[in-house]
């Protein structure tokens, strides 16, 4: 591995101010720089191949043994000396290596675990400023904890970001003994906490938090204080004791270092969705009444004659006939509806709600409330709302209680937020496909860490089906065969709707199973953790339970291990690798097979009709391999489309600059 750079460690104080963050500088890299980076990030070129890695591991083991021979008092004194060196001098390689040795020994003594070689290499790579790809099940949580504890010894506030609140709470609790052993304090910042509790959490040495939560808290801080991070006022506030600070003090201590678990999900997938900070408006009965009128008018229009649905973009376009019919229908009602612009915009939103969004695919209704669904993970997003009155339309469509309207105060793309961190690293099982994009946006290179055991996963040839009914019949036959020998099966679907259909099919054939989708998200980890038990059948949306280990039950390895079936078309190759990675973890046996069908609504959006017809002919003739080539082309097409969306969002900076000017004060964004 060619040396890149150590992380830049910093802490709040006179030198960096009370809230350190990175200045946004223009990208001055030439096209030649980008070509060279792409060659460095090419598959097969980014594996961890440093010649000295074996020697380094031997030296790390020697350091750890030498520390183990010291008395507790001697070790504590050495830890104090090391922390002083890291806080008052540059974090040299020797300091980082000694800190890692301290962390490894602390893991052995506090958690009764012995860090594996690949976990130590992953922690070392992150401390040197790399993003790390390490296979699913190889112990990424412990690798992150090793890197976080070593960095925190320098008094740098460390934010460990997870995919959801459950993982943040779980990891903070499971690693607390390690951090306490090193004299570090760990906390968890949650949306259920009030501002004072979150301020106290962010004051810890290491805080586990979701990216969404820390981004919203930083936006709030920016709007409320508007203080330049390098101003005299900011530096002076760093001298005030935490207990003496007023309630208006920022929640965060700056954006010093972020270590991102499941980095591809946060740095890439979430990057297409801007963070929006909004405040609730007073509930307006008039807004509900207007939305009801718009829905009533929309229901009287005919699809194909009065409007056209563009399913790939979730847009509805009125035709000339539809505009004329709408004008006729609006005669005799309130004067407001005589305005053609208002009428067509409102009814257009209503048509989108009626025909562009589907229940259990795009949203669920739970406890009388409407919750949007994440298209990639299938998770519910209870605090996310659609803009421009569309959310209210969906609530009225499903006869839910409407939530108060919201006024946007500030918005921020995830990409721009992450770039504000002085130190940014992360780890995931699937980063190779987006390594060039990640370097372009975040200036991070990728290192791939090999598994500590050779993989035994069997990747079965994909089978393509013309329609869903034949797909489900083939799935049931396969499950019945494997269930007969008590082999566990995990069936992965993309939407709640698809998971419910699979469940109904299994019930019809008398196959007991568990279902995990957005309706069962409170028990997500518990359900996934049992998926590897003998005879267990689990139906789950694609990424439900991500981050939770699936241990194999007794004698399951002899039966072939966990078998994973993917039924959905995924619009990124990384998602297929994530699903396959659920089987055969840590050298265990297992298998994976994709069973896509050409009726899949997501595949229809991605594949042009002529290609879909050709794929149908190939699938009907059992030419599955050739049909899969067309599906892979559609997959790459969707990857390109999403990449363009992320690029457009990243390049649009004017909204952020304008909205962060609040009350005559402006936060430094250079």
């Amino acid at each position: 591995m060619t040396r890149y750079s150590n992380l830049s460690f910093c802490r709040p104080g006179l030198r960096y101010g009370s809230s350190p963050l990175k200045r946004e500088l223009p990208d001055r890299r030439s096209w030649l720089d980008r070509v060279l980076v792409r060659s460095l990030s090419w598959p097969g070129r980014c594996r961890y191949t440093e010649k000295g890695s074996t020697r380094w591991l031997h030296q790390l083991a020697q350091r750890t043994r030498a520390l183990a021979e010291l008395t507790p008092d001697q070790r504590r004194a050495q830890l104090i000396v090391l922390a002083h060196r890291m806080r008052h001098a540059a974090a040299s390689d020797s300091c980082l290596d000694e800190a890692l040795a301290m962390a490894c020994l602390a893991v052995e003594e506090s958690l009764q675990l012995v860090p594996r070689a690949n976990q130590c290499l992953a922690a070392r790579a992150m401390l040197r400023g790399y993003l790390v790809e390490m296979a699913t099940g190889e112990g990424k949580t412990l690798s992150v904890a090793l890197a976080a504890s070593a960095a925190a010894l320098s008094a740098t506030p460390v934010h460990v970001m997870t995919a959801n609140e459950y993982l943040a709470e779980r990891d903070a609790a499971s690693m607390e003994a390690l951090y306490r052993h090193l004299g570090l304090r760990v906390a968890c910042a949650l949306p259920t906490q009030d501002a004072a509790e979150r301020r106290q959490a962010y004051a810890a040495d290491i805080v586990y938090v979701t990216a969404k939560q820390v981004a919203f808290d930083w936006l709030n801080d920016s709007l409320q204080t508007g203080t330049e991070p390098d101003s005299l006022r900011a530096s002076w506030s760093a001298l005030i004791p935490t207990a003496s600070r007023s309630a208006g003090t920022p929640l965060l201590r700056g954006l010093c270092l972020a270590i991102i678990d499941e980095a591809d999900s946060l740095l890439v997938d979430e990057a297409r969705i801007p963070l929006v900070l909004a405040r609730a408006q007073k509930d307006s009965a008039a807004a509900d009444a207007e939305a009801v009128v718009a829905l009533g008018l929309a229901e009287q229009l005919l699809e194909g004659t009065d409007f056209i649905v563009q399913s790939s973009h979730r847009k509805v376009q009125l035709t000339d006939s539809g505009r004329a019919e709408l004008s006729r229908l609006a005669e005799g009602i309130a004067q407001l509806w005589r305005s053609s612009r208002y009428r067509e915009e409102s009814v257009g939103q209503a048509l989108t709600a009626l025909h562009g969004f589907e229940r259990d695919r795009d949203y669920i209704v739970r406890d009388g409330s409407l919750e949007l669904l994440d298209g990639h993970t299938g998770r519910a997003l209870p605090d996310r709302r659609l803009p421009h009155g569309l959310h209210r339309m969906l609530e009225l469509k499903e006869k839910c209680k409407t939530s108060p309207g919201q006024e946007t105060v500030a918005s921020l793309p995830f990409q721009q937020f992450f770039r504000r961190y002085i130190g940014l690293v992360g780890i995931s099982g699937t980063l190779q496909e987006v390594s060039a994009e990640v370097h372009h946006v975040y200036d991070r290179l990728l290192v791939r860490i090999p598994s500590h055991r050779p993989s035994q996963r069997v990747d079965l040839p994909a089978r393509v089906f013309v329609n869903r009914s034949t797909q489900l019949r083939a799935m049931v036959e396969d499950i019945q065969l494997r269930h007969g020998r008590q082999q566990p099966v995990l069936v992965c679907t993309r939407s709640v709707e698809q998971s419910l259909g699979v469940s109904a099919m299994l019930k019809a054939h008398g196959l007991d199973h568990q279902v995990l989708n957005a309706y069962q998200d409170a028990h997500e980890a518990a359900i996934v953790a049992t998926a590897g038990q003998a005879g267990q059948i689990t139906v789950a949306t694609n990424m439900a339970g991500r981050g939770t280990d699936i241990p194999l039950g007794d004698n399951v390895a002899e039966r072939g291990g966990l078998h994973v079936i993917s039924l959905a078309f995924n619009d990124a190759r990384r998602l297929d690798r994530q699903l396959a990675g659920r089987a055969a973890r840590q050298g265990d046996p297992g298998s994976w097979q994709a069973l896509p069908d050409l009726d899949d609504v997501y595949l229809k959006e991605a594949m042009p009709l002529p290609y879909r017809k050709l794929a149908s002919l190939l699938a009907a003739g059992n030419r599955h391999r050739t049909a899969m080539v067309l599906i892979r082309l559609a997959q790459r097409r969707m990857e390109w489309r999403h990449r363009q969306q992320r690029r457009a969002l990243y390049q649009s900076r004017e909204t952020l600059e304008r909205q962060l000017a609040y009350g005559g004060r402006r936060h430094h964004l250079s």
Side-chain angles (χ1 to χ4, degrees), residues 21 126 194 341 345 402 512:
L21 58 87
M126 284 186 279
D194 59 26
R341 180 176 179 180
E345 286 182 356
T402 57
D512 292 333

Side-chain angles (χ1 to χ4, degrees), residues 507-520:
K507 286 180 181 177
H509 287 81
L511 294 169
D512 292 333
H513 61 281
Q514 288 188 319
V515 178
L516 175 57
N517 53 39
Y519 288 108
Q520 295 87 24

